[in-house]
Amino acid sequence: MTIKIYGPAASRASRALWMAHELGIPFEHIPIEMKDLKGPDYLKVNPNGKVPTLVDGDFKLFESMAINLYLAAKHGKDGFFPATLEEQALCHQWSFWGMTELEKPLLTILIDKFMTPPDKRKPEAVAEAEKALPKPFGVLNGALHGREYLIGSKFTVGDLNLAAICSWSRPIKYDLAAYPNVAAWLDRCLARPAYKASRK
Ligand SMILES: N[C@@H](CCC(=O)N[C@@H](CS)C(=O)NCC(=O)O)C(=O)O
């Protein structure tokens, strides 16, 4: 049965859409509008009233990183979901790390810049978020020293998940010049045809 991915492309559902394109699996995209997320029909699909949600037959899954790790484990080929427990754990590590260390400050800036009317903007919150970013970007820059991808020598679900989070640095024009390994890695990941296809 064809999987269903709920959520507009301009939301965290983009992560699952990128994954589906990357894996080349058939999927149905249900771009439910944000205003309908708290309706009774959608709450049956995801009781959080948030996107993305994956429906795979009778199986329902929320949380973008979990969805992508599941899809990669189920359909990944040629090491995209690595074979060893250690490398799989590293994919989980970078996915959780992206969510806990990078997502919030990047989102704070993104929301302030693009979704907040000028009179409601919070320069202090943005300044705080900007202060939080150098440390994790420094860690990531170190981890990418001398390597093209995070784990082994190939692009994996760990790269996809973390790059999807880091992609928010682009619309906010966050300057990655101090983190050249991150900048080069992010360019490499976001140049993938599947990423581009997910944004059409
Ligand atoms: N940690 C969740 C976050 C999901 C989330 O907050 N999605 C946003 C859209 S990007 C949403 O559904 N917001 C609606 C709301 O919070 O009411 C994930 O990564 O899937």
Side-chain angles (χ1 to χ4, degrees):
M1 196 182 291
T2 308
I3 62 163
K4 294 183 178 139
I5 296 170
Y6 287 79
S11 75
R12 290 178 181 86
S14 59
R15 300 170 180 176
L17 295 172
W18 180 4
M19 176 58 75
H21 281 287
E22 195 71 48
L23 294 167
I25 52 174
F27 67 97
E28 183 183 349
H29 178 207
I30 302 170
I32 178 165
E33 291 183 36
M34 302 306 270
K35 67 174 174 51
D36 297 330
L37 295 185
K38 307 297 186 252
D41 289 346
Y42 185 66
L43 287 176
K44 282 185 209 138
V45 179
N46 182 342
N48 300 288
K50 295 188 180 196
V51 287
T53 307
L54 173 77
V55 177
D56 186 1
D58 292 333
F59 180 60
K60 297 190 188 82
L61 192 63
F62 50 76
E63 285 299 323
S64 54
M65 299 288 110
I67 290 170
N68 280 358
L69 287 159
Y70 166 78
L71 288 175
K74 187 165 177 182
H75 300 285
K77 294 193 184 84
D78 302 329
F80 178 62
F81 188 76
T84 70
L85 193 56
E86 288 78 8
E87 289 192 338
Q88 289 169 11
L90 288 171
C91 291
H92 287 88
Q93 169 192 282
W94 286 116
S95 303
F96 295 168
W97 181 85
M99 293 294 270
T100 51
E101 303 293 325
L102 277 171
E103 187 183 68
K104 191 167 175 220
L106 287 172
L107 188 59
T108 300
I109 302 171
L110 192 75
I111 289 178
D112 194 81
K113 218 171 177 151
F114 296 109
M115 292 165 224
T116 312
D119 60 317
K120 299 257 168 25
R121 290 193 182 140
K122 295 200 175 93
E124 329 75 57
V126 169
E128 196 65 28
E130 275 168 355
K131 255 187 12 213
L133 287 170
K135 193 169 165 212
F137 275 133
V139 168
L140 183 55
N141 200 58
L144 286 165
H145 179 75
R147 10 181 1 114
E148 291 208 345
Y149 296 109
L150 286 167
I151 300 145
S153 57
K154 286 185 176 167
F155 180 75
T156 69
V157 56
D159 294 290
L160 189 154
N161 274 351
L162 187 55
I165 295 168
C166 291
S167 70
W168 286 346
S169 65
R170 287 204 166 164
I172 65 169
K173 297 193 169 37
Y174 188 80
D175 186 3
L176 289 172
Y179 317 102
N181 304 326
V182 177
W185 164 82
L186 190 58
D187 284 350
R188 209 171 288 131
C189 294
L190 301 187
R192 296 184 71 81
Y195 174 74
K196 293 186 175 157
S198 72
R199 292 166 58 80
K200 279 185 188 143

